[in-house]
Amino acid sequence: SQHCSRIRSSYSHRRIFSSVTTPPPRYAGITSFFRAPLVELNDTTSSSSSVDIALVGVPFDGGVTNRPGARYGPREVRSSSVSFVRRTNQATGIAPFEYDLSIADVGDAFVSSPYELIGAHSEIEGFFEKMGDTTALSVGGDHSVTLPILRALSKRLKKEQMEDNNSVSSTNSSSPLSPPPLGLIHIDAHADTGDDYGGSRFHHGAPFKIAVDEKLIDPLRTIQIGIRGSLNHAEMWKFSHTSGMRVMYMEEFAAISNADVIEEIKRIVGSGPVYVSFDIDVLDPAYAPGTGTPEIGGMTSLQAQQLIRGLEGLDIVGGDVVEVSPPFDNTSGITSLAGAALLFELLCVVAPAAAKRKTIKQTGRQDEQTK
């Protein structure tokens, strides 16, 4: 296709299995996300400095308010990604591993002290801080893990902004001291903007309220899509509305076209950096029964794929797929399969964004060297 030809002409062809003519069969070899190379960050001799996109497992579900099990999500999503996901997106023509990017599975951000929620989040944040300017795509784990990921990402962006400021002439007083908060595309059955529950604010039903409180995300550049289900009380998600988030309930999503949804997303998040968080429970339980808090009346798998595909062109600086809970996946791993396929869709829109940022960065370095 013309799109695929454009990709191949712009970026060098890189194969994961460059040393062999044909990759090994899918039932053989070490399991990694999409059979990507392994760069284990928990090994002190390893570094992500040469990795452009890191695929990360976050096997932690200490933030669930009801049914645990998402700690097993990364393991089963990895397995499904090896067995069932191939290299090219047939619908869009995007082949993420053909970009001039190093894509690797960097292992798990596992927690050594999982019974203390704040400390556990600090451990996860520390893992992501080690990645430097690598773009991370993660698999949870419950949705509370997005908060420490956003904290680490915010620190990284602030550091990059400081470096940019230092490279600007001191006479240019218009240069900002710190970057604005991230935009957020949150795809979920639940808004996750609650507050204290059972003695903690840091559970999986509140990460995005805390993210706003900590100025990690901009509520005016946040859109929540697919929200539905019964509530504990009528104002359960009041913070989403009062803070200025755009909430697209499932009824609205179902009533308009995918093109209209994408148009609204782009209107809200604009051209700035944005994070994408995808909770598997946005899918109807017919497509994803293996999750802790299922809600009927959700998206089909195809609707979710089309939604993510429409995000191409945005400056996506990270993302996650969370709440895959294999112990409840009693239909031959269908939820883990959905998680793997949707992670691949995310990779297919993140890769072009990461490649563009890499080119801009390299061009900037060349300009500095020629001055």
Side-chain angles (χ1 to χ4, degrees), residues 17 23-31 35 79-84:
F17 301 103
R26 294 180 177 274
Y27 51 81
I30 301 299
T31 299
R35 299 196 285 179
S79 180
S80 288
S81 77
V82 168
S83 297
F84 305 116

Side-chain angles (χ1 to χ4, degrees), residues 20 67 87 97 110 120 158 167-168 193 202-203 205 229-230 232 238 245 253 279 283 301 307 318 320 325 333 348 356:
V20 291
R67 304 196 301 175
R87 316 300 286 178
F97 292 98
F110 68 84
K158 287 179 180 178
S167 67
V168 175
T193 50
F202 301 100
H203 53 85
S230 56
N232 291 333
K238 179 180 178 180
M245 295 181 182
F253 175 86
D279 189 323
L283 300 182
S301 300
L307 176 58
D320 59 54
S325 187
C348 287
K356 182 178 179 180

Side-chain angles (χ1 to χ4, degrees), residues 188-267:
D188 198 330
H190 313 98
D192 292 350
T193 50
D195 208 317
D196 186 272
Y197 182 88
S200 176
R201 299 176 62 233
F202 301 100
H203 53 85
H204 69 163
F208 301 116
K209 180 184 186 302
I210 299 171
V212 171
D213 291 343
E214 296 183 4
K215 296 181 171 54
L216 307 177
I217 61 172
D218 182 353
L220 300 181
R221 292 185 57 233
T222 294
I223 183 167
Q224 301 183 301
I225 304 169
I227 310 303
R228 66 185 190 279
S230 56
L231 302 171
N232 291 333
H233 53 84
E235 296 188 342
M236 189 170 177
W237 307 133
K238 179 180 178 180
F239 182 85
S240 292
H241 296 279
T242 58
S243 66
M245 295 181 182
R246 171 66 164 97
V247 184
M248 183 178 289
Y249 290 92
M250 188 63 205
E251 290 77 13
E252 180 184 358
F253 175 86
I256 62 178
S257 69
N258 186 65
D260 289 337
V261 175
I262 298 303
E263 182 180 358
E264 182 68 352
I265 290 172
K266 293 183 176 181
R267 183 185 74 82

Side-chain angles (χ1 to χ4, degrees), residues 283-316:
L283 300 182
D284 190 274
Y287 304 92
T291 190
T293 315
E295 305 282 359
I296 67 166
M299 292 183 192
T300 67
S301 300
L302 179 59
Q303 285 176 316
Q305 288 178 301
Q306 291 173 331
L307 176 58
I308 295 174
R309 290 166 187 166
L311 305 182
E312 185 184 358
L314 295 176
D315 186 19
I316 303 172

Side-chain angles (χ1 to χ4, degrees), residues 120-136:
H121 284 176
S122 294
E123 287 190 64
I124 294 168
E125 181 181 346
F127 183 95
F128 281 85
E129 284 181 0
K130 290 194 295 184
M131 291 188 200
D133 61 358
T134 298
T135 300

Side-chain angles (χ1 to χ4, degrees), residues 44 58 79 99 128 159 162 205 241 251 253 274 317 319 342:
T44 56
V58 191
S79 180
Y99 283 81
F128 281 85
K159 180 180 179 182
M162 288 179 63
H241 296 279
E251 290 77 13
F253 175 86
V274 62
V317 295
L342 293 168

